Amino acid sequence: MLLPEYEMKSRLKKVQDLLVAKDLPGTLVYYDELNIANGWYLSGWCPQFESGCLFVPRQGEPMILGGPESEPFAKTDSAIKKTKNIPVFMVPEEEYPNATISSFAEVFDEIGIKGKNQKLGVVGLDKMPFGVYQLLKKDLLGIGLIDITTEYEQFRKIKSPWEQEQVRKAFAIADQAFQMMKPLVREGISEIEIAGAGEGKARSLGANWFAFKAIVASGERTSGVVPTASDKKLQIGETVMMGLSPRYNGYAGVFGYTMVVGGKPSEAQRHCINDMVEAYRITKSNLKPGMIGKDINAVTHEFVTKQGYGKNIVCPFAHTIGLMEAEAPFFGPNSNDVLRPGMTVCVDVSVFSVPDVNGVRFESAFLITDKGPEPLSPYMDQLILNTKV
Amino acid sequence: MLLPEYEMKSRLKKVQDLLVAKDLPGTLVYYDELNIANGWYLSGWCPQFESGCLFVPRQGEPMILGGPESEPFAKTDSAIKKTKNIPVFMVPEEEYPNATISSFAEVFDEIGIKGKNQKLGVVGLDKMPFGVYQLLKKDLLGIGLIDITTEYEQFRKIKSPWEQEQVRKAFAIADQAFQMMKPLVREGISEIEIAGAGEGKARSLGANWFAFKAIVASGERTSGVVPTASDKKLQIGETVMMGLSPRYNGYAGVFGYTMVVGGKPSEAQRHCINDMVEAYRITKSNLKPGMIGKDINAVTHEFVTKQGYGKNIVCPFAHTIGLMEAEAPFFGPNSNDVLRPGMTVCVDVSVFSVPDVNGVRFESAFLITDKGPEPLSPYMDQLILNTKV
């Protein structure tokens, strides 16, 4: 499951070129299990229990600044092998009698970054815990922090051929998990049993984790936008919303699907489900290179509003998928982002708190190509498009 | 899966009594999916995708400060029903056309906390993302923040009868997952297949999530302390380390177990596994009310060192389990924490990077009672104690 060396080197070069352009001697990249993307991008790895930073110098080898529980784990699994332990990334109050512990100050000193006129890049500053920031600030001894998150995250927008392959595999796993879950939808089963069956299948097929806890919600709970599965039992006639996002080599796949327990929708359910399938089709048809985010959004927004669901819209209808299930660019009502070949984009249409229906969501994703959107899951794309209740 | 009202009210009273004692008009409690505990303690709930704070006033009803994707989800699942949306807790760059959005300043204003001489409590400040802290600081307009995390976390050390029941259920789920995983340990299966089987089983039994990704590691990977399962295939004679931590109603259960693929250990494996079983027995025998953390640690540390594994110790041997799999008090070499009835404590013995063995871990937990340690998993406790290879 390792990040291939050529892929890591090509990414490292992009980052180091950015450091040259910004005239920075190096950058810290913060990451943890909730914000894996920026660290994973270079290392193909994330610690568990602990958090950490990557340190990327302008030239030469990057290193992991983490904790002693992760050090040997990083050595086997990460594409970055050089490590140092910094106390602030460890489990608070836990003690490690044999660990060699450094401070940020020692690391900066060793690298030769020192003194008031120096600057250092930082990626993920907004997500860095305040405790980490405070210690970092103290150890910087006057070194200025330059936030280069926005520039760094640009590298993740267009997916390389290897990345596209991982995303495809993640979608293939999601498909098989869905095929395990769908037949379980029946009166009396609990939401969490369906979730467990799908997640267990996805893991057994090699999913290295999930971008979110399985969404399996029924009845009123479908209005929860991203409701995790509970022990509530499904009842005949209820709307059921399902979503799963397995990661493969860190890259997320996803599906979103909605059906009615027992297969006999009410008039309200019938209208809403069919309308959202049409909203999915409309959004997909606009995923052409050169399209601008807010224009993609506007067309679907107008259609959904016209069908009477304007006030039931919570989220916009298209967003990028990659190392996070939903990551920039987001193609919402104010987005000027341009759709470009190599982007992997979810059509994610949903409405919530609809009277006599509750929530409906359909989601699948596409690789943007010169010729238009190419389904990352031809299976789920067709299934959604052919849903007519 | 809701937190019972009587349990929530008794916890709320403890927090509000603390606010009176500290002369604070209220406190913010930060939480997210990685740091669920302090928020979950009062709400029995955590958002996904978004993060948030609870606001607890000195008197009256607490509220959730979160994002618009979580608002309806909180209404169905959280013990705290009053909600407000604050932009900084949302997915960055995502847009929500219909949401009602407040600022921290508006919330404080409405509550009547205003002006330079006011103070406000905060729990989880160290874990709060820097971006959230910055916005909060700006909106505070001079209100001072008083960190009461340490005092607040005291409430979680002794488990109520209801909490003990949840922990027991989590351990019962872990046991059944283990019984699914253990027979799968054989040549040629991948680590992740075993992980998937255990996690899927745990979820189907009602686990609301996991405190960590399943540890299934073989050969050299067992030295990774907390290695997540990979697609590596098991080979005859390799050491295999397994760990799973399902949550039930938020409370974690856990097991740690180590065996040899094919069941024929080498001399080095035999010694190490048998010695660690003995280390487990010794640590357990010291879990008596009144014992001090560093004393518990010292006895096992001396034994493990005497057996030749002193430099292979990474973690101390006992820690508390609750809303986090490992939470304070930690009974490490400098711990003055006193073991008290009502604590739920893991015996977690491990050594890593042992020549010709790699890593070995045995873990199960006990409720501390007046009479001594009572196994939270009698099954796993006996299994470990009877392991002799």
Side-chain angles (χ1 to χ4, degrees), chain A residues 330-351:
Chain A
F330 292 90
F331 304 101
N334 296 301
S335 159
N336 287 309
D337 287 293
V338 180
L339 220 57
R340 288 161 58 198
M343 287 182 169
T344 47
V345 176
C346 283
V347 171
D348 179 6
V349 293
S350 60
V351 284

Side-chain angles (χ1 to χ4, degrees), chain A residues 182-189 194 218 234-240 242 258-266 269 273 389:
Chain A
K182 188 167 178 267
L184 297 179
V185 172
R186 58 165 192 266
E187 194 182 11
I189 195 170
I194 300 173
S218 53
L234 274 50
Q235 292 172 33
I236 284 281
E238 282 184 325
T239 309
V240 177
M242 292 185 286
T258 305
M259 53 201 285
V260 174
V261 183
K264 287 180 186 155
S266 68
Q269 287 170 322
I273 288 174
V389 294

Side-chain angles (χ1 to χ4, degrees), chain A residues 33 48 72 77 92 95 98 126 128-131 133 192 199 203 207 209 213 221 223 310 313-314 316 330 334, chain B residues 33 48 72 77 92 95-96 98 126 128-131 133 192 199 203 207 209 213 221 223 310 313-314 316 330 334:
Chain A
E33 289 172 81
Q48 74 169 352
D77 284 25
E95 300 178 62
N98 280 321
D126 262 16
M128 181 182 282
F130 180 65
Y133 173 79
I192 212 162
E199 288 171 349
R203 287 283 273 162
W209 200 234
K213 299 175 201 69
R221 295 191 80 254
S223 281
I313 296 170
V314 174
F330 292 90
N334 296 301
Chain B
E33 289 172 81
Q48 75 170 352
D77 284 25
E95 300 179 62
Y96 301 94
N98 280 322
D126 262 17
M128 181 182 282
F130 180 65
Y133 173 79
I192 212 162
E199 288 170 350
R203 287 283 273 162
W209 200 234
K213 299 174 203 67
R221 295 192 80 253
S223 281
I313 296 169
V314 174
F330 292 91
N334 296 301

